[in-house]
Amino acid sequence: MSDDLAARLREQGLRLTPQRELILRAVEDLGHATPDEVLAQVRSQVSSVNASTVYRTLEVLEELGLVRHTHLSDRAPTYHSNREHEHVHAVCRRCRAVTSYEPEVVAPVVERLAADGFAVDVGHLAIFGVCGDCAAKDVGSAT
Amino acid sequence: MSDDLAARLREQGLRLTPQRELILRAVEDLGHATPDEVLAQVRSQVSSVNASTVYRTLEVLEELGLVRHTHLSDRAPTYHSNREHEHVHAVCRRCRAVTSYEPEVVAPVVERLAADGFAVDVGHLAIFGVCGDCAAKDVGSAT
DNA sequence: TTGGATGCAAAGGGTTTGCAAAAGG
DNA sequence: CCTTTTGCAAACCCTTTGCATCCAA
């Protein structure tokens, strides 16, 4: 896996640095994390890394196809390793809970848009709404 | 329509102000617009309105159910009138082109999540990917 | 050796906030 | 009148950039 990093960097004429290894590792360990969280993780692990290096590195890693990002809030994006199975996120606007779904859930949509030549980026998809629990709590409250 | 505004504001014990009328009108006229574009539109129309008033007002209008927003880029959100038919957006990551689709396109997904008690906010949905035109252009280019 | 990578600090875009003045009902 | 709104300016969060230094290859 880290071999992937070395290999892919080389292919692009880019360099393997400790920071890049640490940042990729942090994303893999954290599962889902914002640039800020990645920075904190890396710093807790070892050396002192700069925030701008994290931003630049996440961009490189995404170009190399090793990580992906999606927007689960109106704030910072969330990065995750591309080694995870591709999945779709459902985000509750009330309680912020995030549920992962198999890509099959959106297959009909993907096929429909594919008919128009549009290739959906499933892993980037974030579906917002209100989860069952929160809807239940709303029954009694004023609108 | 503006009657909606007056009525809904009153219901909530809020006040009808020229700024609120102008901002709602601007969103309706622009179709899809960022807070910045709304501000520019309002200023071109009449008085001098402040940016923070635009932010605060868009928030109020959204709570009143008169406007909605979605994220069509990594930058500022896009607001549109709730009088438009509900639709889903497909955004090409390469050329930034935005295509609107009928809600039916995502009906299977909505139903699937509804089975879990999750109510999808269809109007907020932005589906990212690569459109047919851009994919065609890619055929000859290096990865 | 040498171009790519990093750290630092400053700048930048977008949004929020505190507060006093203005104004709707 | 009294409470909501507004404008203003400062603060904020997140991200990007310029530049000198550093270091992987």
Side-chain angles (χ1 to χ4, degrees), chain B residues 15-16 18 35 52 55-56 75-77:
Chain B
R15 294 174 182 173
L16 179 62
S52 46
Y55 284 108
R56 289 189 279 228
R75 303 246 162 200

PDB file of all heavy atoms in Angstrom, chain B residues 15-16 18 35 52 55-56 75-77, chain C residues 13-19 23-25:
ATOM      1  N   ARG B  15     -40.127  40.570  10.852  1.00  0.00           N
ATOM      2  CA  ARG B  15     -40.581  41.794  10.191  1.00  0.00           C
ATOM      3  C   ARG B  15     -40.306  41.851   8.699  1.00  0.00           C
ATOM      4  O   ARG B  15     -39.301  41.346   8.220  1.00  0.00           O
ATOM      5  CB  ARG B  15     -39.929  43.000  10.873  1.00  0.00           C
ATOM      6  CG  ARG B  15     -40.436  43.144  12.293  1.00  0.00           C
ATOM      7  CD  ARG B  15     -39.718  44.231  13.049  1.00  0.00           C
ATOM      8  NE  ARG B  15     -40.221  44.277  14.419  1.00  0.00           N
ATOM      9  CZ  ARG B  15     -39.714  45.033  15.378  1.00  0.00           C
ATOM     10  NH1 ARG B  15     -38.682  45.807  15.128  1.00  0.00           N
ATOM     11  NH2 ARG B  15     -40.231  45.009  16.583  1.00  0.00           N
ATOM     12  N   LEU B  16     -41.210  42.494   8.016  1.00  0.00           N
ATOM     13  CA  LEU B  16     -41.046  42.672   6.577  1.00  0.00           C
ATOM     14  C   LEU B  16     -40.232  43.932   6.344  1.00  0.00           C
ATOM     15  O   LEU B  16     -40.631  45.016   6.762  1.00  0.00           O
ATOM     16  CB  LEU B  16     -42.421  42.835   5.920  1.00  0.00           C
ATOM     17  CG  LEU B  16     -42.418  43.059   4.407  1.00  0.00           C
ATOM     18  CD1 LEU B  16     -41.806  41.852   3.702  1.00  0.00           C
ATOM     19  CD2 LEU B  16     -43.844  43.301   3.922  1.00  0.00           C
ATOM     20  N   PRO B  18     -37.578  46.173   3.494  1.00  0.00           N
ATOM     21  CA  PRO B  18     -37.255  46.317   2.069  1.00  0.00           C
ATOM     22  C   PRO B  18     -36.110  45.397   1.684  1.00  0.00           C
ATOM     23  O   PRO B  18     -36.138  44.783   0.604  1.00  0.00           O
ATOM     24  CB  PRO B  18     -36.859  47.785   1.927  1.00  0.00           C
ATOM     25  CG  PRO B  18     -36.976  48.409   3.259  1.00  0.00           C
ATOM     26  CD  PRO B  18     -37.573  47.450   4.221  1.00  0.00           C
ATOM     27  N   PRO B  35     -24.403  34.042  -2.623  1.00  0.00           N
ATOM     28  CA  PRO B  35     -24.704  35.215  -1.801  1.00  0.00           C
ATOM     29  C   PRO B  35     -24.095  36.477  -2.411  1.00  0.00           C
ATOM     30  O   PRO B  35     -24.713  37.540  -2.410  1.00  0.00           O
ATOM     31  CB  PRO B  35     -24.048  34.874  -0.462  1.00  0.00           C
ATOM     32  CG  PRO B  35     -24.140  33.390  -0.386  1.00  0.00           C
ATOM     33  CD  PRO B  35     -23.900  32.933  -1.799  1.00  0.00           C
ATOM     34  N   SER B  52     -23.612  41.203   5.181  1.00  0.00           N
ATOM     35  CA  SER B  52     -24.087  40.395   6.311  1.00  0.00           C
ATOM     36  C   SER B  52     -25.605  40.316   6.317  1.00  0.00           C
ATOM     37  O   SER B  52     -26.178  39.320   6.748  1.00  0.00           O
ATOM     38  CB  SER B  52     -23.561  40.931   7.637  1.00  0.00           C
ATOM     39  OG  SER B  52     -23.706  42.307   7.729  1.00  0.00           O
ATOM     40  N   TYR B  55     -26.482  37.461   3.977  1.00  0.00           N
ATOM     41  CA  TYR B  55     -26.297  36.156   4.616  1.00  0.00           C
ATOM     42  C   TYR B  55     -27.418  35.881   5.604  1.00  0.00           C
ATOM     43  O   TYR B  55     -28.013  34.805   5.616  1.00  0.00           O
ATOM     44  CB  TYR B  55     -24.953  36.092   5.333  1.00  0.00           C
ATOM     45  CG  TYR B  55     -23.794  35.924   4.391  1.00  0.00           C
ATOM     46  CD1 TYR B  55     -22.916  36.970   4.144  1.00  0.00           C
ATOM     47  CD2 TYR B  55     -23.591  34.724   3.722  1.00  0.00           C
ATOM     48  CE1 TYR B  55     -21.856  36.822   3.257  1.00  0.00           C
ATOM     49  CE2 TYR B  55     -22.544  34.562   2.842  1.00  0.00           C
ATOM     50  CZ  TYR B  55     -21.668  35.619   2.611  1.00  0.00           C
ATOM     51  OH  TYR B  55     -20.638  35.458   1.737  1.00  0.00           O
ATOM     52  N   ARG B  56     -27.692  36.864   6.446  1.00  0.00           N
ATOM     53  CA  ARG B  56     -28.727  36.655   7.458  1.00  0.00           C
ATOM     54  C   ARG B  56     -30.091  36.451   6.822  1.00  0.00           C
ATOM     55  O   ARG B  56     -30.891  35.630   7.278  1.00  0.00           O
ATOM     56  CB  ARG B  56     -28.750  37.851   8.419  1.00  0.00           C
ATOM     57  CG  ARG B  56     -27.527  37.889   9.323  1.00  0.00           C
ATOM     58  CD  ARG B  56     -27.635  38.931  10.437  1.00  0.00           C
ATOM     59  NE  ARG B  56     -27.303  40.266   9.994  1.00  0.00           N
ATOM     60  CZ  ARG B  56     -26.468  41.104  10.635  1.00  0.00           C
ATOM     61  NH1 ARG B  56     -25.885  40.716  11.751  1.00  0.00           N
ATOM     62  NH2 ARG B  56     -26.237  42.292  10.176  1.00  0.00           N
ATOM     63  N   ARG B  75     -16.789  26.236  -3.702  1.00  0.00           N
ATOM     64  CA  ARG B  75     -16.812  27.614  -3.190  1.00  0.00           C
ATOM     65  C   ARG B  75     -18.151  27.935  -2.548  1.00  0.00           C
ATOM     66  O   ARG B  75     -18.705  27.129  -1.826  1.00  0.00           O
ATOM     67  CB  ARG B  75     -16.521  28.577  -4.345  1.00  0.00           C
ATOM     68  CG  ARG B  75     -15.191  28.301  -5.034  1.00  0.00           C
ATOM     69  CD  ARG B  75     -14.251  29.450  -4.810  1.00  0.00           C
ATOM     70  NE  ARG B  75     -12.868  29.090  -5.071  1.00  0.00           N
ATOM     71  CZ  ARG B  75     -11.847  29.780  -4.590  1.00  0.00           C
ATOM     72  NH1 ARG B  75     -12.062  30.808  -3.810  1.00  0.00           N
ATOM     73  NH2 ARG B  75     -10.609  29.444  -4.857  1.00  0.00           N
ATOM     74  N   ALA B  76     -18.667  29.080  -2.861  1.00  0.00           N
ATOM     75  CA  ALA B  76     -19.910  29.525  -2.239  1.00  0.00           C
ATOM     76  C   ALA B  76     -21.113  28.697  -2.692  1.00  0.00           C
ATOM     77  O   ALA B  76     -21.149  28.204  -3.811  1.00  0.00           O
ATOM     78  CB  ALA B  76     -20.131  31.001  -2.556  1.00  0.00           C
ATOM     79  N   PRO B  77     -22.096  28.554  -1.796  1.00  0.00           N
ATOM     80  CA  PRO B  77     -23.307  27.815  -2.124  1.00  0.00           C
ATOM     81  C   PRO B  77     -24.163  28.593  -3.123  1.00  0.00           C
ATOM     82  O   PRO B  77     -23.963  29.780  -3.317  1.00  0.00           O
ATOM     83  CB  PRO B  77     -24.026  27.706  -0.786  1.00  0.00           C
ATOM     84  CG  PRO B  77     -23.533  28.862   0.001  1.00  0.00           C
ATOM     85  CD  PRO B  77     -22.118  29.063  -0.428  1.00  0.00           C
TER      86      PRO B  77
ATOM     87  P    DG C  13      -9.653  37.253  -2.835  1.00  0.00           P
ATOM     88  OP1  DG C  13      -9.750  37.369  -4.304  1.00  0.00           O
ATOM     89  OP2  DG C  13      -9.838  38.422  -1.954  1.00  0.00           O
ATOM     90  O5'  DG C  13     -10.647  36.108  -2.353  1.00  0.00           O
ATOM     91  C5'  DG C  13     -10.585  34.828  -2.976  1.00  0.00           C
ATOM     92  C4'  DG C  13     -11.588  33.917  -2.325  1.00  0.00           C
ATOM     93  O4'  DG C  13     -11.208  33.695  -0.947  1.00  0.00           O
ATOM     94  C3'  DG C  13     -13.001  34.489  -2.290  1.00  0.00           C
ATOM     95  O3'  DG C  13     -13.919  33.471  -2.667  1.00  0.00           O
ATOM     96  C2'  DG C  13     -13.212  34.913  -0.852  1.00  0.00           C
ATOM     97  C1'  DG C  13     -12.285  33.986  -0.085  1.00  0.00           C
ATOM     98  N9   DG C  13     -11.718  34.578   1.122  1.00  0.00           N
ATOM     99  C8   DG C  13     -11.104  35.794   1.230  1.00  0.00           C
ATOM    100  N7   DG C  13     -10.681  36.064   2.438  1.00  0.00           N
ATOM    101  C5   DG C  13     -11.039  34.937   3.174  1.00  0.00           C
ATOM    102  C6   DG C  13     -10.846  34.642   4.542  1.00  0.00           C
ATOM    103  O6   DG C  13     -10.308  35.330   5.408  1.00  0.00           O
ATOM    104  N1   DG C  13     -11.370  33.395   4.880  1.00  0.00           N
ATOM    105  C2   DG C  13     -11.985  32.542   4.003  1.00  0.00           C
ATOM    106  N2   DG C  13     -12.418  31.388   4.501  1.00  0.00           N
ATOM    107  N3   DG C  13     -12.166  32.809   2.721  1.00  0.00           N
ATOM    108  C4   DG C  13     -11.674  34.022   2.371  1.00  0.00           C
ATOM    109  P    DG C  14     -15.422  33.874  -2.875  1.00  0.00           P
ATOM    110  OP1  DG C  14     -15.970  32.963  -3.893  1.00  0.00           O
ATOM    111  OP2  DG C  14     -15.533  35.334  -3.025  1.00  0.00           O
ATOM    112  O5'  DG C  14     -16.056  33.473  -1.471  1.00  0.00           O
ATOM    113  C5'  DG C  14     -15.989  32.121  -1.074  1.00  0.00           C
ATOM    114  C4'  DG C  14     -16.537  31.980   0.318  1.00  0.00           C
ATOM    115  O4'  DG C  14     -15.650  32.616   1.261  1.00  0.00           O
ATOM    116  C3'  DG C  14     -17.910  32.624   0.538  1.00  0.00           C
ATOM    117  O3'  DG C  14     -18.749  31.635   1.105  1.00  0.00           O
ATOM    118  C2'  DG C  14     -17.645  33.760   1.497  1.00  0.00           C
ATOM    119  C1'  DG C  14     -16.412  33.279   2.235  1.00  0.00           C
ATOM    120  N9   DG C  14     -15.594  34.334   2.806  1.00  0.00           N
ATOM    121  C8   DG C  14     -15.160  35.474   2.189  1.00  0.00           C
ATOM    122  N7   DG C  14     -14.442  36.254   2.954  1.00  0.00           N
ATOM    123  C5   DG C  14     -14.407  35.574   4.164  1.00  0.00           C
ATOM    124  C6   DG C  14     -13.780  35.928   5.380  1.00  0.00           C
ATOM    125  O6   DG C  14     -13.112  36.933   5.644  1.00  0.00           O
ATOM    126  N1   DG C  14     -13.989  34.966   6.354  1.00  0.00           N
ATOM    127  C2   DG C  14     -14.708  33.804   6.185  1.00  0.00           C
ATOM    128  N2   DG C  14     -14.797  32.994   7.234  1.00  0.00           N
ATOM    129  N3   DG C  14     -15.289  33.471   5.047  1.00  0.00           N
ATOM    130  C4   DG C  14     -15.107  34.396   4.083  1.00  0.00           C
ATOM    131  P    DT C  15     -20.263  32.007   1.468  1.00  0.00           P
ATOM    132  OP1  DT C  15     -21.034  30.767   1.325  1.00  0.00           O
ATOM    133  OP2  DT C  15     -20.684  33.255   0.771  1.00  0.00           O
ATOM    134  O5'  DT C  15     -20.144  32.299   3.036  1.00  0.00           O
ATOM    135  C5'  DT C  15     -19.567  31.286   3.854  1.00  0.00           C
ATOM    136  C4'  DT C  15     -19.500  31.757   5.291  1.00  0.00           C
ATOM    137  O4'  DT C  15     -18.556  32.834   5.427  1.00  0.00           O
ATOM    138  C3'  DT C  15     -20.830  32.271   5.841  1.00  0.00           C
ATOM    139  O3'  DT C  15     -21.151  31.472   6.969  1.00  0.00           O
ATOM    140  C2'  DT C  15     -20.538  33.715   6.228  1.00  0.00           C
ATOM    141  C1'  DT C  15     -19.031  33.720   6.405  1.00  0.00           C
ATOM    142  N1   DT C  15     -18.346  35.006   6.195  1.00  0.00           N
ATOM    143  C2   DT C  15     -17.611  35.535   7.227  1.00  0.00           C
ATOM    144  O2   DT C  15     -17.493  34.999   8.303  1.00  0.00           O
ATOM    145  N3   DT C  15     -16.999  36.739   6.947  1.00  0.00           N
ATOM    146  C4   DT C  15     -17.057  37.438   5.768  1.00  0.00           C
ATOM    147  O4   DT C  15     -16.457  38.515   5.643  1.00  0.00           O
ATOM    148  C5   DT C  15     -17.847  36.834   4.729  1.00  0.00           C
ATOM    149  C7   DT C  15     -17.986  37.521   3.405  1.00  0.00           C
ATOM    150  C6   DT C  15     -18.449  35.660   4.981  1.00  0.00           C
ATOM    151  P    DT C  16     -22.431  31.777   7.847  1.00  0.00           P
ATOM    152  OP1  DT C  16     -22.956  30.474   8.317  1.00  0.00           O
ATOM    153  OP2  DT C  16     -23.303  32.728   7.147  1.00  0.00           O
ATOM    154  O5'  DT C  16     -21.776  32.509   9.099  1.00  0.00           O
ATOM    155  C5'  DT C  16     -20.693  31.897   9.757  1.00  0.00           C
ATOM    156  C4'  DT C  16     -20.277  32.727  10.952  1.00  0.00           C
ATOM    157  O4'  DT C  16     -19.617  33.939  10.519  1.00  0.00           O
ATOM    158  C3'  DT C  16     -21.435  33.174  11.849  1.00  0.00           C
ATOM    159  O3'  DT C  16     -21.035  32.913  13.186  1.00  0.00           O
ATOM    160  C2'  DT C  16     -21.574  34.660  11.564  1.00  0.00           C
ATOM    161  C1'  DT C  16     -20.146  35.043  11.210  1.00  0.00           C
ATOM    162  N1   DT C  16     -19.989  36.196  10.297  1.00  0.00           N
ATOM    163  C2   DT C  16     -19.107  37.193  10.652  1.00  0.00           C
ATOM    164  O2   DT C  16     -18.483  37.193  11.687  1.00  0.00           O
ATOM    165  N3   DT C  16     -18.989  38.203   9.718  1.00  0.00           N
ATOM    166  C4   DT C  16     -19.633  38.302   8.510  1.00  0.00           C
ATOM    167  O4   DT C  16     -19.426  39.258   7.765  1.00  0.00           O
ATOM    168  C5   DT C  16     -20.555  37.229   8.215  1.00  0.00           C
ATOM    169  C7   DT C  16     -21.319  37.253   6.934  1.00  0.00           C
ATOM    170  C6   DT C  16     -20.682  36.237   9.105  1.00  0.00           C
ATOM    171  P    DT C  17     -22.068  33.088  14.382  1.00  0.00           P
ATOM    172  OP1  DT C  17     -21.933  31.893  15.221  1.00  0.00           O
ATOM    173  OP2  DT C  17     -23.384  33.483  13.835  1.00  0.00           O
ATOM    174  O5'  DT C  17     -21.495  34.346  15.173  1.00  0.00           O
ATOM    175  C5'  DT C  17     -20.122  34.631  15.164  1.00  0.00           C
ATOM    176  C4'  DT C  17     -19.877  35.968  15.838  1.00  0.00           C
ATOM    177  O4'  DT C  17     -19.675  36.989  14.825  1.00  0.00           O
ATOM    178  C3'  DT C  17     -21.011  36.467  16.729  1.00  0.00           C
ATOM    179  O3'  DT C  17     -20.457  36.921  17.949  1.00  0.00           O
ATOM    180  C2'  DT C  17     -21.634  37.614  15.955  1.00  0.00           C
ATOM    181  C1'  DT C  17     -20.473  38.116  15.117  1.00  0.00           C
ATOM    182  N1   DT C  17     -20.847  38.697  13.804  1.00  0.00           N
ATOM    183  C2   DT C  17     -20.128  39.773  13.353  1.00  0.00           C
ATOM    184  O2   DT C  17     -19.220  40.279  13.978  1.00  0.00           O
ATOM    185  N3   DT C  17     -20.502  40.242  12.124  1.00  0.00           N
ATOM    186  C4   DT C  17     -21.510  39.754  11.325  1.00  0.00           C
ATOM    187  O4   DT C  17     -21.745  40.262  10.240  1.00  0.00           O
ATOM    188  C5   DT C  17     -22.238  38.629  11.870  1.00  0.00           C
ATOM    189  C7   DT C  17     -23.353  38.045  11.098  1.00  0.00           C
ATOM    190  C6   DT C  17     -21.880  38.161  13.070  1.00  0.00           C
ATOM    191  P    DG C  18     -21.384  37.236  19.209  1.00  0.00           P
ATOM    192  OP1  DG C  18     -20.921  36.318  20.274  1.00  0.00           O
ATOM    193  OP2  DG C  18     -22.817  37.257  18.832  1.00  0.00           O
ATOM    194  O5'  DG C  18     -20.939  38.719  19.611  1.00  0.00           O
ATOM    195  C5'  DG C  18     -19.564  39.119  19.511  1.00  0.00           C
ATOM    196  C4'  DG C  18     -19.453  40.626  19.735  1.00  0.00           C
ATOM    197  O4'  DG C  18     -19.661  41.316  18.484  1.00  0.00           O
ATOM    198  C3'  DG C  18     -20.476  41.197  20.712  1.00  0.00           C
ATOM    199  O3'  DG C  18     -19.868  42.265  21.432  1.00  0.00           O
ATOM    200  C2'  DG C  18     -21.597  41.680  19.799  1.00  0.00           C
ATOM    201  C1'  DG C  18     -20.839  42.122  18.547  1.00  0.00           C
ATOM    202  N9   DG C  18     -21.553  41.915  17.285  1.00  0.00           N
ATOM    203  C8   DG C  18     -22.399  40.880  16.975  1.00  0.00           C
ATOM    204  N7   DG C  18     -22.855  40.941  15.752  1.00  0.00           N
ATOM    205  C5   DG C  18     -22.279  42.089  15.221  1.00  0.00           C
ATOM    206  C6   DG C  18     -22.400  42.662  13.924  1.00  0.00           C
ATOM    207  O6   DG C  18     -23.046  42.265  12.967  1.00  0.00           O
ATOM    208  N1   DG C  18     -21.655  43.832  13.820  1.00  0.00           N
ATOM    209  C2   DG C  18     -20.884  44.371  14.813  1.00  0.00           C
ATOM    210  N2   DG C  18     -20.238  45.491  14.536  1.00  0.00           N
ATOM    211  N3   DG C  18     -20.757  43.832  16.026  1.00  0.00           N
ATOM    212  C4   DG C  18     -21.478  42.702  16.161  1.00  0.00           C
ATOM    213  P    DC C  19     -20.672  42.993  22.603  1.00  0.00           P
ATOM    214  OP1  DC C  19     -19.656  43.365  23.623  1.00  0.00           O
ATOM    215  OP2  DC C  19     -21.871  42.221  22.985  1.00  0.00           O
ATOM    216  O5'  DC C  19     -21.127  44.325  21.874  1.00  0.00           O
ATOM    217  C5'  DC C  19     -20.169  45.108  21.152  1.00  0.00           C
ATOM    218  C4'  DC C  19     -20.863  46.236  20.429  1.00  0.00           C
ATOM    219  O4'  DC C  19     -21.383  45.760  19.155  1.00  0.00           O
ATOM    220  C3'  DC C  19     -22.063  46.815  21.186  1.00  0.00           C
ATOM    221  O3'  DC C  19     -21.984  48.231  21.146  1.00  0.00           O
ATOM    222  C2'  DC C  19     -23.259  46.309  20.402  1.00  0.00           C
ATOM    223  C1'  DC C  19     -22.689  46.285  18.989  1.00  0.00           C
ATOM    224  N1   DC C  19     -23.419  45.424  18.040  1.00  0.00           N
ATOM    225  C2   DC C  19     -23.495  45.813  16.692  1.00  0.00           C
ATOM    226  O2   DC C  19     -22.920  46.842  16.343  1.00  0.00           O
ATOM    227  N3   DC C  19     -24.179  45.037  15.818  1.00  0.00           N
ATOM    228  C4   DC C  19     -24.790  43.922  16.246  1.00  0.00           C
ATOM    229  N4   DC C  19     -25.449  43.199  15.343  1.00  0.00           N
ATOM    230  C5   DC C  19     -24.728  43.515  17.615  1.00  0.00           C
ATOM    231  C6   DC C  19     -24.038  44.285  18.465  1.00  0.00           C
ATOM    232  P    DA C  23     -33.903  54.398   9.342  1.00  0.00           P
ATOM    233  OP1  DA C  23     -33.805  54.406   7.852  1.00  0.00           O
ATOM    234  OP2  DA C  23     -34.270  55.624  10.099  1.00  0.00           O
ATOM    235  O5'  DA C  23     -34.912  53.250   9.765  1.00  0.00           O
ATOM    236  C5'  DA C  23     -34.721  51.922   9.261  1.00  0.00           C
ATOM    237  C4'  DA C  23     -35.875  51.072   9.760  1.00  0.00           C
ATOM    238  O4'  DA C  23     -35.719  50.817  11.167  1.00  0.00           O
ATOM    239  C3'  DA C  23     -37.234  51.759   9.627  1.00  0.00           C
ATOM    240  O3'  DA C  23     -38.214  50.754   9.456  1.00  0.00           O
ATOM    241  C2'  DA C  23     -37.431  52.381  10.979  1.00  0.00           C
ATOM    242  C1'  DA C  23     -36.903  51.234  11.827  1.00  0.00           C
ATOM    243  N9   DA C  23     -36.555  51.550  13.194  1.00  0.00           N
ATOM    244  C8   DA C  23     -36.114  52.740  13.706  1.00  0.00           C
ATOM    245  N7   DA C  23     -35.889  52.707  14.998  1.00  0.00           N
ATOM    246  C5   DA C  23     -36.214  51.408  15.353  1.00  0.00           C
ATOM    247  C6   DA C  23     -36.208  50.736  16.588  1.00  0.00           C
ATOM    248  N6   DA C  23     -35.836  51.299  17.728  1.00  0.00           N
ATOM    249  N1   DA C  23     -36.597  49.442  16.591  1.00  0.00           N
ATOM    250  C2   DA C  23     -36.965  48.866  15.445  1.00  0.00           C
ATOM    251  N3   DA C  23     -37.017  49.405  14.215  1.00  0.00           N
ATOM    252  C4   DA C  23     -36.622  50.679  14.247  1.00  0.00           C
ATOM    253  P    DG C  24     -39.160  50.717   8.213  1.00  0.00           P
ATOM    254  OP1  DG C  24     -38.320  50.409   7.048  1.00  0.00           O
ATOM    255  OP2  DG C  24     -39.998  51.935   8.266  1.00  0.00           O
ATOM    256  O5'  DG C  24     -40.093  49.457   8.509  1.00  0.00           O
ATOM    257  C5'  DG C  24     -39.537  48.147   8.449  1.00  0.00           C
ATOM    258  C4'  DG C  24     -40.214  47.259   9.470  1.00  0.00           C
ATOM    259  O4'  DG C  24     -39.883  47.686  10.807  1.00  0.00           O
ATOM    260  C3'  DG C  24     -41.740  47.267   9.382  1.00  0.00           C
ATOM    261  O3'  DG C  24     -42.187  45.933   9.566  1.00  0.00           O
ATOM    262  C2'  DG C  24     -42.175  48.178  10.520  1.00  0.00           C
ATOM    263  C1'  DG C  24     -41.065  47.967  11.542  1.00  0.00           C
ATOM    264  N9   DG C  24     -40.737  49.118  12.372  1.00  0.00           N
ATOM    265  C8   DG C  24     -40.399  50.381  11.937  1.00  0.00           C
ATOM    266  N7   DG C  24     -40.092  51.203  12.923  1.00  0.00           N
ATOM    267  C5   DG C  24     -40.238  50.416  14.078  1.00  0.00           C
ATOM    268  C6   DG C  24     -40.031  50.757  15.434  1.00  0.00           C
ATOM    269  O6   DG C  24     -39.668  51.840  15.920  1.00  0.00           O
ATOM    270  N1   DG C  24     -40.290  49.681  16.285  1.00  0.00           N
ATOM    271  C2   DG C  24     -40.686  48.443  15.859  1.00  0.00           C
ATOM    272  N2   DG C  24     -40.898  47.530  16.821  1.00  0.00           N
ATOM    273  N3   DG C  24     -40.874  48.108  14.586  1.00  0.00           N
ATOM    274  C4   DG C  24     -40.636  49.144  13.751  1.00  0.00           C
ATOM    275  P    DG C  25     -43.690  45.501   9.253  1.00  0.00           P
ATOM    276  OP1  DG C  25     -43.667  44.100   8.802  1.00  0.00           O
ATOM    277  OP2  DG C  25     -44.250  46.560   8.382  1.00  0.00           O
ATOM    278  O5'  DG C  25     -44.415  45.583  10.667  1.00  0.00           O
ATOM    279  C5'  DG C  25     -44.105  44.585  11.634  1.00  0.00           C
ATOM    280  C4'  DG C  25     -44.948  44.822  12.894  1.00  0.00           C
ATOM    281  O4'  DG C  25     -44.422  45.954  13.637  1.00  0.00           O
ATOM    282  C3'  DG C  25     -46.416  45.130  12.617  1.00  0.00           C
ATOM    283  O3'  DG C  25     -47.226  44.522  13.612  1.00  0.00           O
ATOM    284  C2'  DG C  25     -46.507  46.641  12.802  1.00  0.00           C
ATOM    285  C1'  DG C  25     -45.463  46.880  13.886  1.00  0.00           C
ATOM    286  N9   DG C  25     -44.874  48.210  13.880  1.00  0.00           N
ATOM    287  C8   DG C  25     -44.693  49.045  12.806  1.00  0.00           C
ATOM    288  N7   DG C  25     -44.131  50.175  13.121  1.00  0.00           N
ATOM    289  C5   DG C  25     -43.921  50.091  14.497  1.00  0.00           C
ATOM    290  C6   DG C  25     -43.346  51.007  15.397  1.00  0.00           C
ATOM    291  O6   DG C  25     -42.878  52.124  15.153  1.00  0.00           O
ATOM    292  N1   DG C  25     -43.322  50.520  16.692  1.00  0.00           N
ATOM    293  C2   DG C  25     -43.798  49.289  17.074  1.00  0.00           C
ATOM    294  N2   DG C  25     -43.694  48.992  18.367  1.00  0.00           N
ATOM    295  N3   DG C  25     -44.348  48.422  16.241  1.00  0.00           N
ATOM    296  C4   DG C  25     -44.372  48.879  14.967  1.00  0.00           C
TER     297       DG C  25
END
